[in-house]
């Protein structure tokens, strides 16, 4: 590490993004303390689908999402749902999001995320080769559709992404070809797409292994530390908790996911994030699940999980701390049941809801704030797990060297 660089850092947020940043700061010799109001993987990092998928890490602000969202806006059973609410901040965010649902804005987001997509799997490999003891499992992701027309929409989107500069290997499949590969695909499925070069993980296990590696390398992780204030102090930055505890460090990283706005506003972060909440649960299957199954038409992602099937889905714009809504789980089951077979829908365990931090323009917020020495990492939407390690590596480089990597040029949190 450059002797003029920071020697100590506080990372706020013990999800995969915050812990990855802490780990890569340690690679540069920085002493790190990670604080979280609840604990490791307590937010969106535990119950997600576990996809490590550069082929599907597509910005949410695709124009078709806007058309779909307007049709299903107030339907509580729809995969994309906004409950009736007087919250002006949410409606302001949604208007800003709608304004970015253009091919021009979407294309910019695709190009901006290109470096992350190209390097994300290598960043996972670097972690797992250097002390993070959790496997990443190689497997194609199988997307299943009831009609060939639905499959054509994904094929068109993948073609657009390849034209933007990224290379995704994929192939169209018939329903019978799908069933020969994945026994859980029902006879109602007529067409599909196989995305090669993808992986998956047990996300909770991986995040906890990352935390264990951070502590094994000399870092400190403190749970129950809810940050109330970040302010410059003599020779550093002071972080104060709601319990009036303080920690001082040379630099601070805010990686609080869907709660980013509260601290970010005072730091000059002008791009808002909102909680796009996802739900998941686990169900038994009568045959082993060979790999991830994606049901794009109903926005459901399924993954092999501890000998069973994790089923994840929906995008629900509620408060990040709101309780689980049972009808959202019911809606996932209703939409996925016709497309899957050999699944015990009555054997549900591990019901979960987690808030994914969604930005209005499809680009995360990663970089320096208006306060010298304070940085932000968040707003990855549905792809915080896939992009967590590569985000942490790039941001650690910027913090230590003072030079912004090219991969972060479009992610300025004060844009």
């Amino acid at each position: 590490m450059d002797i003029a660089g920071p020697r100590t850092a506080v990372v706020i947020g013990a999800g995969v993004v915050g812990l990855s940043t802490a780990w890569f700061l340690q690679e540069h010799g920085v002493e790190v303390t990670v604080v979280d109001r609840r604990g490791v993987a307590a937010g969106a990092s535990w119950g997600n689908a576990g996809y490590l998928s550069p082929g599907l890490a597509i910005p949410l602000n695709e124009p078709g999402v806007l058309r779909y969202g307007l049709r299903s806006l107030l339907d509580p059973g729809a995969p994309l749902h906004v409950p009736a609410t007087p919250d002006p901040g949410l409606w302001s965010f949604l208007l800003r999001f709608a304004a970015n649902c253009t091919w021009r804005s979407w294309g910019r987001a695709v190009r901006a995320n290109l470096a992350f997509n190209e390097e994300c799997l290598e960043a996972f490999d670097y972690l797992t080769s250097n002390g993070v003891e959790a496997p990443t499992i190689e497997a194609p992701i199988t997307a299943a559709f009831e009609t060939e027309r639905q499959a054509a929409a994904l094929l068109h989107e993948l073609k657009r992404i390849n034209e933007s500069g990224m290379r995704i290997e994929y192939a169209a499949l018939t329903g019978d070809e799908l069933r020969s590969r994945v026994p859980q695909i029902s006879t109602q499925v007529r067409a599909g797409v196989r995305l090669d070069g993808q992986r998956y993980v047990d996300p909770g296990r991986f995040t906890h292994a990352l935390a264990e590696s951070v502590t094994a390398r000399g870092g400190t992780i403190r749970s129950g530390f809810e940050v109330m204030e970040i302010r410059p102090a003599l020779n550093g930055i002071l972080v104060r908790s709601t319990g009036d505890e303080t920690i001082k460090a040379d630099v601070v990283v805010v990686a609080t996911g869907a709660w980013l706005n509260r601290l970010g506003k005072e730091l000059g972060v002008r791009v808002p994030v909102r909680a796009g909440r996802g739900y998941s649960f686990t169900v038994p299957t009568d045959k082993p699940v060979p790999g991830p199954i994606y049901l794009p038409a109903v926005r459901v992602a399924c993954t092999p999980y501890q000998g069973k099937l994790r089923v994840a889905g929906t995008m629900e714009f509620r408060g990040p701390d709101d309780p689980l809504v049972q009808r959202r789980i019911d809606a996932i089951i209703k939409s996925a049941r016709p497309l899957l077979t050999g699944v015990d829908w009555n054997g549900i365990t591990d019901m979960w809801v987690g808030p994914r931090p969604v930005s209005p323009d499809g680009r995360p917020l990663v970089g320096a704030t208006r306060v010298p020495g304070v940085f932000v990492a968040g707003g990855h939407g549905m792809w915080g797990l896939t992009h967590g390690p590569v985000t942490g590596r790039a941001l650690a480089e910027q913090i230590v060297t003072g030079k912004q990597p090219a991969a972060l040029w479009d992610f300025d949190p004060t844009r």
Side-chain angles (χ1 to χ4, degrees), residues 10 17 24 35 55 63 77 82 126 176 184 213 215 248 251 254 257 273 301 317 322 328 349 358 383 393 395:
V10 171
V17 174
F24 281 104
V35 300
V82 181
Y126 190 88
D176 288 341
Q184 285 75 30
S213 184
T215 56
K248 190 168 78 170
V251 295
V254 181
V273 300
F317 285 98
D322 286 0
R328 303 298 294 159
T349 57
V358 178
W383 306 111
R393 182 165 66 182
L395 183 57

Side-chain angles (χ1 to χ4, degrees), residues 58-63 65 97 100-102 105-106 109 360-363:
I58 300 168
L60 186 61
N61 57 315
E62 191 265 337
V65 170
F97 177 83
N100 279 284
C101 285
T102 65
S105 182
W106 182 84
D361 59 9
R363 290 176 280 152

Side-chain angles (χ1 to χ4, degrees), residues 14-16 19 38-43 45-46 131-134 202-216 221 223 385:
V16 68
L19 289 167
R38 293 167 62 189
V40 173
S45 292
W46 184 84
V132 178
E133 297 184 359
D202 177 332
R205 179 182 175 187
F206 183 88
T207 307
H208 278 277
L210 184 54
E212 290 162 7
S213 184
V214 168
T215 56
I221 299 178
S223 300
L385 177 65

Side-chain angles (χ1 to χ4, degrees), residues 166-182:
M166 185 176 174
R167 187 62 191 165
I168 303 171
E169 299 291 339
Y170 61 91
L173 301 174
T174 66
D176 288 341
E177 288 172 330
L178 287 172
R179 279 180 285 277
S180 70
R181 296 169 180 269
V182 183

